[in-house]
Amino acid sequence: MDFAAELKSLKDQIRYRSRIVTPGVFKNIVISGMGGSGVVGRIFAEIYSKFPVVVVHDYHVPDFVDSNTLFIAISYSGNTEETLSACEEAEERNASIVAITSGGSLARKNCQVIRIPPGLQPRSALGYMLMPLVNTFLNPSQEDIERTHLILKEMDENHSLASKLASEIFKQERFPVVMASSPYRSVAYRWKTQFNENAKILAFSSDFPELNHNETMPLKLSYSLDRFYFIAIKPESQRIRKRVDVTQLVTERTFTAVEPIGDTLLQKLFYLIHLGDYVSYELALLRNIDPSDVSLIEELKRKLQ
Ligand code: PA5
């Protein structure tokens, strides 16, 4: 499947009805994963707070992991060493294990395995990896899912906003800095990682209100400020909107505003995720770069074996 077709498959991925069978009793959730799979845990942890959710992007699990933990290992390939290592540790601690994967060693584990379709780049399979968590813990209505499908379909047909952003970043040879606030901080991070992997440029994410306590000074006084392209995802909260306005005022900087579209969190979240997918994809095309190429990541993994 070419990369454009992978992007277009997101609207169908969100119809993926798979659910996790949760243990009768658990007190916390730990989600482990790296890169395109790991970001799924971040997104979920930001939108779900009925239980403590800790996301691990590393080899080891926190000390508190025990038989009261629901441990969810997410790896598209099923072969990522950090995720497999964390999963083994969680097994040793008697946690309840769930694996979300398209195959590999993770699929062969003696645990609940949610098998997702293979053949995509991991970062293009976000819907398949996120929806089992969303279906299980947030239980969206069918109407919500269908409306989200429609919003994504419309973007597949017309993503002129993404093209415009990509072209501005490209023409000015800037590095994107994506700023957001709850519940979209992890979306800003996803944009950063999509810029990295698809368009092969350095990019950064940052969040309000925390950035008002550190990055605000360099936003006015750093060197090379003209090398960055600042994007601010429109905050849900009035107070944070005021912060974004006042930050631009005191730093004399302009942020390009991006507004979520939709009526529910699911719709807005996926709209923003997909917009970031398209901006990074369009930027890759402008740079004449293959968005699916991750050869250096693969070479690094091989050399570590
Ligand atoms: O998007 C990618 O290709 C990477 O970020 C991978 O997701 C990352 O290397 C981890 O691999 P996997 O998703 O197979 O666990």
Side-chain angles (χ1 to χ4, degrees), residues 34-37 74-80 83 121-123 197 294 297 301:
M34 306 302 294
S37 300
I74 309 181
S75 168
Y76 188 71
S77 64
N79 289 324
T80 297
T83 312
Q121 292 290 327
R123 58 193 175 284
E197 290 195 71
V294 283
I297 296 177
K301 286 182 183 177

Side-chain angles (χ1 to χ4, degrees), residues 62-101:
D63 285 349
F64 70 77
V65 169
D66 62 15
S67 57
N68 292 311
T69 302
L70 171 59
F71 181 87
I72 305 171
I74 309 181
S75 168
Y76 188 71
S77 64
N79 289 324
T80 297
E81 69 173 37
E82 299 94 318
T83 312
L84 291 171
S85 155
C87 191
E88 268 160 37
E89 282 193 7
E91 283 172 314
E92 282 160 17
R93 308 265 192 91
N94 297 318
S96 300
I97 314 282
V98 177
I100 301 179
T101 184

Side-chain angles (χ1 to χ4, degrees), residues 26-248:
F26 62 92
K27 293 191 177 149
N28 51 67
I29 301 174
V30 173
I31 306 178
S32 105
M34 306 302 294
S37 300
V39 75
V40 170
R42 281 194 187 216
I43 293 169
F44 178 71
E46 193 174 358
I47 59 176
Y48 180 77
S49 57
K50 288 201 180 124
F51 281 87
V53 183
V54 170
V55 181
V56 174
H57 302 302
D58 209 333
Y59 291 86
H60 303 291
V61 296
D63 285 349
F64 70 77
V65 169
D66 62 15
S67 57
N68 292 311
T69 302
L70 171 59
F71 181 87
I72 305 171
I74 309 181
S75 168
Y76 188 71
S77 64
N79 289 324
T80 297
E81 69 173 37
E82 299 94 318
T83 312
L84 291 171
S85 155
C87 191
E88 268 160 37
E89 282 193 7
E91 283 172 314
E92 282 160 17
R93 308 265 192 91
N94 297 318
S96 300
I97 314 282
V98 177
I100 301 179
T101 184
S102 72
S105 305
L106 206 51
R108 293 192 291 275
K109 288 241 171 238
N110 185 17
C111 68
Q112 186 186 156
V113 176
I114 297 193
R115 255 326 240 272
I116 57 175
L120 298 169
Q121 292 290 327
R123 58 193 175 284
S124 302
L126 180 137
Y128 286 132
M129 296 188 277
L130 182 58
M131 288 315 289
L133 295 166
V134 168
N135 293 333
T136 309
F137 296 102
L138 300 167
N139 204 17
S141 67
Q142 193 57 34
E143 190 193 338
D144 198 5
I145 288 177
E146 288 311 312
R147 177 76 194 122
T148 309
H149 174 91
L150 210 65
I151 288 172
L152 300 183
K153 187 166 180 275
E154 278 166 13
M155 202 188 305
D156 288 338
E157 285 155 12
N158 176 4
H159 43 267
S160 52
L161 172 60
S163 308
K164 182 172 165 274
L165 289 174
S167 137
E168 282 175 15
I169 294 166
F170 176 70
K171 276 196 211 132
Q172 301 164 18
E173 288 194 1
R174 305 241 186 158
F175 299 103
V177 177
V178 189
M179 297 177 273
S181 52
S182 175
Y184 306 125
R185 288 174 305 204
S186 53
V187 172
Y189 180 75
R190 160 81 175 181
W191 277 49
K192 168 223 156 4
T193 60
Q194 291 291 75
F195 278 124
N196 296 155
E197 290 195 71
N198 297 341
K200 281 76 171 166
I201 57 164
L202 289 175
F204 307 89
S205 69
S206 187
D207 50 277
F208 282 99
E210 175 61 15
L211 75 82
N212 279 152
H213 304 273
N214 34 64
E215 275 173 41
T216 304
M217 290 300 294
L219 275 170
K220 176 150 186 184
L221 298 172
S222 177
Y223 46 67
S224 302
L225 277 165
D226 58 349
R227 301 309 312 277
F228 297 97
Y229 187 90
F230 297 98
I231 299 168
I233 294 176
K234 190 173 174 190
E236 294 285 316
S237 124
Q238 280 296 348
R239 187 71 187 151
I240 307 247
R241 275 185 212 168
K242 180 154 190 190
R243 280 185 178 271
V244 175
D245 292 344
V246 176
T247 304
Q248 291 179 91

